[in-house]
Amino acid sequence: MKKQWTKFAVVLVLYLTFLLWVESWWGLLVVPFIFDVYITKKIRWQWWKNSEPPVRFVMSWVDAIVFALVAVYFINLFFFQNYVIPSSSLEKSLLTGDYLFVSKVNYGPRIPQTPLTMPLTQHTLPVFGCKSYIEWPQWDYRRVKGLGNVELNDIVVFNYPAGDTIVSNEQFQAADYYQMCYSFGSQLLNYRPDMATLTPQEQRDWYEKVYDTGRQYIIENPSTYGHIMTRPVDRRENYVKRCVGLPGQTLQIKNRIVYLDGKPNKEPDNVQYTYYVKLLQPLPDDLMKDLGISMEDLTSLNQSGYMPLTARAVDALRKRKDLVESITLNTDTITGDIYPLNANTGWTRDNYGPVWIPKKGETVRLTMQNIAVYERPIRVYEGNDLQVRGGKIFINGKQADRYTFKMDYYWMMGDNRHNSADSRYWGFVPEDHIVGKPIFIWWSSDPDRGGFSGVRWNRLFKMVDDIK
């Protein structure tokens, strides 16, 4: 009996420590059941152990599976989860096929906003293709105290901010719904007024017309796009990018370099830009492997004439006069789909801003020139009713010329700068979207190479913080 009391005391201390950490005393309702498991044993928790062999066999498996699912659900919510790099947006810092150990303790785990969900799924049941979660109840955002905060140049896993709305057809679920609306609307209207001749209100009205036209087109074509769906914050897709702008900083991109408060931020060692490359002959496989050039990169070269390269790769290829005729930096001005989508800023992927990144408790002055930048945080992320009428801004029915933010926001970008869907296209990342910090790579396999030759042995258990 003394041994049982010792076990109970240890479990109780650990459980109460956890409740103190998450600051939720509703969990005290479980304490009597823990006491019963170890001491009183009034409830027959494992009644099936005295049953007939078939029942005992089945229930032993059910018991093991339920315990495993609960344990995984608990661990994934509060401590860590695995994440695989699905695309090349962070190459060559993190590679497609890298499997990451993502800590939720570093920035503090979120109390689940959508608590009723199937473990090991994000939003969809793999086989059935239906939602893996129940939207009720929805709890308010709250984050448990972690080891620290997001720091500049951290690689961060977060929920995709523009993933709040999608179309149900799986073929288009990964697409940005808002970009789809504006793109379809522009094509269908088939004309564009001279923005310089329009007032700020007329410009806004024009973009609303474009958006509404595109949205209506999606609604009228359910056989192609399906129906419009929404997802809770914690059930949106997981993205991984590098934080290049912190709350309260003013960010500007000038000739591809990120400036913060007027000072250039150090670029990642393996930052990539696209280059127009003319080859004299195909690149040898050993050279491609050494420079980290993937089949995806070659596909881009064959289709578009350019491919992403690091500075090291550019220098190496320029020395190979037998292989390469010319290499030229891609300076194409890309203005389409740049955030904010409903404003005529003239910003591009390589020359963007300046834009002030919202910080909790700080106030921004709102004008017709910047309202498009801050509209989504104010309306969508912080739940206010924002309208613009007659050149005036109204928040929750009252005319407003300033707003004080309730959350911190971050600016995230991929290291593969010309091939990354990031904050330049969908804006700020609110703090309630932050999932965790990748700690190390526990497995890495090259999708271009099979078997043992595809295992990137030199990347196994590599610390992410060492990737600068």
Side-chain angles (χ1 to χ4, degrees):
M1 190 64 179
K2 183 178 179 181
K3 185 178 180 181
Q4 290 299 105
W5 275 100
T6 302
K7 288 182 179 179
F8 169 69
V10 171
V11 171
L12 182 63
V13 168
L14 292 174
Y15 183 65
L16 292 178
T17 301
F18 172 75
L19 293 183
L20 181 64
W21 179 45
V22 300
E23 298 179 352
S24 177
W25 300 113
W26 284 103
L28 291 175
L29 296 174
V30 178
V31 171
F33 296 98
I34 298 176
F35 183 77
D36 181 77
V37 168
Y38 289 97
I39 306 301
T40 58
K41 300 183 179 181
K42 298 293 185 182
I43 301 174
R44 296 178 60 200
W45 297 99
Q46 295 183 323
W47 56 268
W48 43 269
K49 284 193 172 181
N50 296 322
S51 302
E52 296 297 321
V55 175
R56 190 163 62 246
F57 175 79
V58 171
M59 288 306 301
S60 65
W61 276 101
V62 170
D63 180 74
I65 291 171
V66 170
F67 176 80
L69 288 176
V70 171
V72 167
Y73 177 78
F74 178 80
I75 291 170
N76 278 356
L77 276 181
F78 294 101
F79 295 99
F80 69 86
Q81 70 181 71
N82 293 317
Y83 181 83
V84 61
I85 300 295
S87 68
S88 59
S89 67
L90 266 171
E91 293 202 4
K92 293 298 185 278
S93 300
L94 292 179
L95 307 180
T96 304
D98 281 348
Y99 287 77
L100 306 177
F101 178 97
V102 178
S103 166
K104 296 190 174 181
V105 177
N106 281 65
Y107 303 139
R110 295 174 297 185
I111 299 299
Q113 294 160 274
T114 312
L116 300 182
T117 182
M118 179 64 68
L120 299 177
T121 64
Q122 180 60 21
H123 48 66
T124 305
L125 287 175
V127 177
F128 304 99
C130 60
K131 290 182 180 180
S132 62
Y133 59 92
I134 299 174
E135 294 196 32
W136 185 92
Q138 275 292 308
W139 295 344
D140 292 337
Y141 164 68
R142 187 167 69 85
R143 186 178 296 274
V144 176
K145 187 174 179 59
L147 300 177
N149 300 312
V150 178
E151 296 182 359
L152 191 63
N153 297 320
D154 275 0
I155 293 176
V156 181
V157 175
F158 56 92
N159 295 119
Y160 176 38
D164 59 333
T165 304
I166 60 170
V167 293
S168 61
N169 188 326
E170 292 184 2
Q171 182 181 351
F172 299 97
Q173 280 191 9
D176 187 317
Y177 165 78
Y178 301 100
Q179 290 184 359
M180 289 172 61
C181 289
Y182 282 105
S183 177
F184 292 155
S186 296
Q187 295 173 28
L188 291 168
L189 292 174
N190 201 28
Y191 75 95
R192 178 184 173 89
D194 182 1
M195 291 295 173
T197 65
L198 303 181
T199 65
Q201 181 65 58
E202 289 171 336
Q203 290 184 22
R204 184 178 179 86
D205 292 342
W206 161 253
Y207 282 110
E208 286 185 359
K209 181 178 181 180
V210 172
Y211 175 82
D212 290 340
T213 301
R215 184 175 185 276
Q216 191 61 35
Y217 174 76
I218 293 174
I219 292 173
E220 292 174 354
N221 289 274
S223 59
T224 302
Y225 303 104
H227 59 276
I228 298 173
M229 300 168 50
T230 60
R231 283 177 177 158
V233 170
D234 55 345
R235 296 298 104 198
R236 297 169 193 170
E237 291 285 0
N238 286 330
Y239 271 37
V240 58
K241 306 286 180 186
R242 189 182 296 275
C243 176
V244 299
L246 295 175
Q249 293 182 320
T250 297
L251 176 141
Q252 186 173 13
I253 303 173
K254 294 189 289 187
N255 295 324
R256 299 172 301 282
I257 305 300
V258 174
Y259 287 77
L260 298 172
D261 298 328
K263 299 179 181 179
N265 185 36
K266 180 186 179 300
E267 287 196 303
D269 293 341
N270 290 310
V271 69
Q272 289 194 132
Y273 297 102
T274 54
Y275 290 79
Y276 285 100
V277 181
K278 290 184 179 179
L279 297 178
L280 296 172
Q281 56 181 301
L283 298 176
D285 185 69
D286 59 340
L287 180 63
M288 288 177 56
K289 191 171 184 179
D290 177 54
L291 299 180
I293 298 174
S294 67
M295 293 305 298
E296 181 183 347
D297 299 336
L298 288 184
T299 300
S300 173
L301 179 62
N302 293 332
Q303 293 179 348
S304 308
Y306 54 74
M307 66 177 173
L309 295 170
T310 62
R312 172 177 169 268
V314 171
D315 290 341
L317 291 177
R318 279 179 173 157
K319 294 176 182 177
R320 295 296 302 266
K321 303 296 184 181
D322 58 322
L323 297 175
V324 181
E325 179 180 337
S326 65
I327 300 180
T328 307
L329 178 66
N330 179 5
T331 57
D332 294 350
T333 301
I334 306 298
T335 57
D337 298 336
I338 295 294
Y339 179 87
L341 298 171
N342 60 337
N344 183 41
T345 61
W347 298 343
T348 71
R349 64 182 182 182
D350 290 337
N351 289 279
Y352 189 99
V355 59
W356 178 75
I357 304 171
K359 183 176 183 179
K360 182 178 180 179
E362 293 199 3
T363 301
V364 66
R365 183 173 178 272
L366 300 176
T367 67
M368 289 299 294
Q369 283 67 43
N370 71 5
I371 186 59
V373 174
Y374 300 110
E375 177 178 4
R376 184 165 175 82
I378 294 171
R379 174 187 286 166
V380 179
Y381 304 142
E382 302 201 355
N384 297 283
D385 174 36
L386 186 151
Q387 297 182 23
V388 179
R389 302 190 300 269
K392 297 179 180 180
I393 301 165
F394 296 85
I395 299 178
N396 299 325
K398 297 180 180 179
Q399 186 175 341
D401 62 358
R402 59 192 67 243
Y403 179 80
T404 301
F405 288 94
K406 303 172 186 175
M407 287 193 293
D408 283 330
Y409 292 79
Y410 302 88
W411 195 265
M412 306 287 185
M413 289 173 59
D415 293 353
N416 194 355
R417 293 290 165 84
H418 284 172
N419 189 28
S420 172
D422 53 37
S423 286
R424 293 169 293 177
Y425 302 94
W426 33 253
F428 309 107
V429 176
E431 66 173 71
D432 67 346
H433 284 57
I434 301 296
V435 174
K437 180 178 181 177
I439 302 300
F440 62 84
I441 301 166
W442 63 270
W443 181 257
S444 183
S445 58
D446 189 340
D448 294 338
R449 296 172 175 83
F452 282 105
S453 64
V455 179
R456 303 184 183 110
W457 299 104
N458 64 323
R459 296 186 67 81
L460 300 193
F461 300 102
K462 185 173 186 177
M463 302 302 291
V464 174
D465 273 350
D466 294 336
I467 303 173
K468 299 299 184 182

